[in-house]
Amino acid sequence: MKKILIVFGTRPEAIKMAPLVKEFELHPEEFDVRVCVTAQHREMLDQVLTFFDIKPQYDLDLMKPGQDLYGLTAAIITELKPVLEDFKPDFIFVHGDTTTTMASSIAGFYSGAKVCHIEAGLRTHNKYAPFPEEINRQITGRLTDFHFAPTTASKENLVKENIDPKDILVTGNTVIDALIQSVEKVKREPSSLIKDLDDKLNKAPLLLVTGHRRENHGDGFIRICEALKTIAIERKELQIVYPVHLNPKVLEPVNRILGDIENIHLIKPLAYHDFIWMMDRAKIIITDSGGVQEEAPSLGKPVLVMRETTERPEAVDAGTVILVGTNTQKIINETFALLDNEAHFKEMSSRHNPYGDGNACSRIVNFMKELDLKNV
Ligand code: UD1
Ligand code: UDP
């Protein structure tokens, strides 16, 4: 029996790890699986746990309002110690690039567990963008024993860092597993919140916005908000829905600059199922989110990405996303181009999503089944 500890802490990690938890649970004779949440996020994490019906065996409950990277990193490492000593996992699974990912992989390494990294190998090679995620990924990559890369390009990044190819498996991104498993249910049973919002939108074309990146805090967010304000004022027929991330550094400028504009709806973060519904309803999505740019093209939605550089070049190459950075004029121009040029809109909406076929989790679990505990 292989003992597996799956650790995550933020909304996107939870969405991308949920289908993996479920897949492992299909094989109780081979895996003893426990889930530990650091709760780096609280409400935004709990929304996902509720939707996927995951009840963690360990909850470190670490989120503090306005937390910083120093305290959070230290707390995760310290608070994971008793969990690791209690369960003594053979393998610790971490996901992506957050502080939870980096600190949990350090703690797992200290405990002697083998580190397994989901969504491995993404790189910008720019230490400050995304900050601190690029370095979180690189640190996690050094500590990882088994790398589950979403694409061949992410595998190649790891090979260039002298990782043995036999320790890398290309899987697709588990976010597509989550989306495929959820989308039909979501369309069948929209929540009452969604029905109310849909009534308000009254069939108008919808621009869906999300944003939270640390490197955009400050001036970047001001430029983003100025762009959204101009778009809303110049295109009165458009409705803009913006579920605002709970980080106070995001909430403050967004509420201040966009609070009083009639066709901009600032709402709380949507539960995952409501957000899928909203993506499906949207005409265009503007975001700096990693996960959203991976999942939206599966629903045929063009995505404008508010980043200067990307660790997801596959999406740019596939033509499913366009990088607009935080340049006010560029955000406005690219939005208007999609609204006004039907051929351009159709072309972007019909491109193939490079991030997978929805079977990433079964590939990961099959790989884990094949591993011989005595030889790892
Ligand atoms: C974190 C991750 C980022 C990831 C993002 C996903 C790090 C350094 N950053 O950024 O990589 O892309 O999550 O959303 O790991 N808050 C709440 N309730 C919540 C969640 C957040 O109130 O449920 C507020 C709190 O005041 C908290 C603050 O947001 O202190 C910042 O949360 P934190 O996880 O440190 O940073 P994010 O910007 O969410
Ligand atoms: N998401 C959500 N509710 C929202 C906004 C986003 O459930 O109001 C989901 C979205 O479907 C995606 C994930 O959250 O899977 C992305 O999270 P986020 O943008 O916070 O982080 P990132 O992907 O940039 O790390």
Side-chain angles (χ1 to χ4, degrees), residues 10-12 40-45 63-67 69 72 97-100 132-133 136 212-214 217 245-248:
T10 65
R11 169 175 69 191
Q40 172 178 337
H41 284 175
R42 189 71 271 175
E43 306 92 298
M44 287 161 62
L45 172 76
M63 196 201 87
K64 291 198 171 66
Q67 65 205 358
L69 299 175
L72 181 62
D97 55 19
T98 69
T99 296
T100 289
E133 289 83 3
N136 285 344
H212 67 83
R213 300 238 78 86
R214 271 179 163 71
H217 290 176
H245 193 287
L246 296 178
N247 194 326

Side-chain angles (χ1 to χ4, degrees), residues 11-12 15 212-213 243 269-272 275 289-292 295:
R11 169 175 69 191
I15 292 168
H212 67 83
R213 300 238 78 86
L270 287 167
Y272 178 56
F275 190 73
S289 161
V292 174
E295 61 201 359

Side-chain angles (χ1 to χ4, degrees), residues 8-213:
F8 50 87
T10 65
R11 169 175 69 191
E13 293 164 72
I15 292 168
K16 291 168 165 182
M17 285 296 224
L20 184 63
V21 173
K22 298 287 167 194
E23 188 71 30
F24 271 124
E25 284 175 354
L26 295 176
H27 306 276
E29 68 297 344
E30 289 178 77
F31 302 108
D32 177 4
V33 180
R34 295 194 195 171
V35 173
C36 174
V37 293
T38 63
Q40 172 178 337
H41 284 175
R42 189 71 271 175
E43 306 92 298
M44 287 161 62
L45 172 76
D46 292 342
Q47 288 177 319
V48 184
L49 295 176
T50 305
F51 177 69
F52 285 99
D53 193 23
I54 291 175
K55 297 184 178 66
Q57 283 77 12
Y58 305 97
D59 187 336
L60 307 184
D61 199 20
L62 290 176
M63 196 201 87
K64 291 198 171 66
Q67 65 205 358
D68 64 32
L69 299 175
Y70 307 87
L72 181 62
T73 303
I76 294 170
I77 296 176
T78 309
E79 297 299 319
L80 265 176
K81 181 178 176 222
V83 174
L84 292 159
E85 287 178 348
D86 176 53
F87 184 42
K88 301 185 183 58
D90 303 305
F91 302 94
I92 180 168
F93 273 72
V94 297
H95 181 282
D97 55 19
T98 69
T99 296
T100 289
T101 318
M102 180 269 293
S104 305
S105 56
I106 292 175
F109 167 66
Y110 289 165
S111 80
K114 297 291 171 195
V115 179
C116 302
H117 187 200
I118 310 292
E119 200 179 86
L122 279 66
R123 296 287 184 271
T124 60
H125 301 291
N126 177 344
K127 195 170 162 182
Y128 299 105
F131 173 89
E133 289 83 3
E134 174 67 11
I135 288 300
N136 285 344
R137 285 187 198 117
Q138 293 196 24
I139 294 172
T140 303
R142 298 321 312 164
L143 296 162
T144 293
D145 296 282
F146 300 107
H147 308 252
F148 297 99
T151 65
T152 47
S154 40
K155 174 176 177 175
E156 280 159 24
N157 287 335
L158 293 166
V159 172
K160 279 188 208 140
E161 293 175 11
N162 295 325
I163 307 286
D164 188 337
K166 79 169 174 26
D167 297 329
I168 310 171
L169 181 72
V170 176
T171 61
N173 198 303
T174 59
V175 81
I176 307 297
D177 299 34
L179 182 67
I180 289 175
Q181 288 165 27
S182 313
V183 72
E184 287 313 317
K185 184 173 167 220
V186 169
K187 282 190 195 165
R188 257 196 331 268
E189 301 162 18
S191 69
S192 52
L193 184 144
I194 282 294
K195 283 187 197 148
D196 286 353
L197 203 52
D198 197 31
D199 282 349
K200 266 196 219 154
L201 299 175
N202 196 19
K203 301 202 168 36
L206 169 66
L207 203 69
L208 178 63
V209 181
T210 80
H212 67 83
R213 300 238 78 86

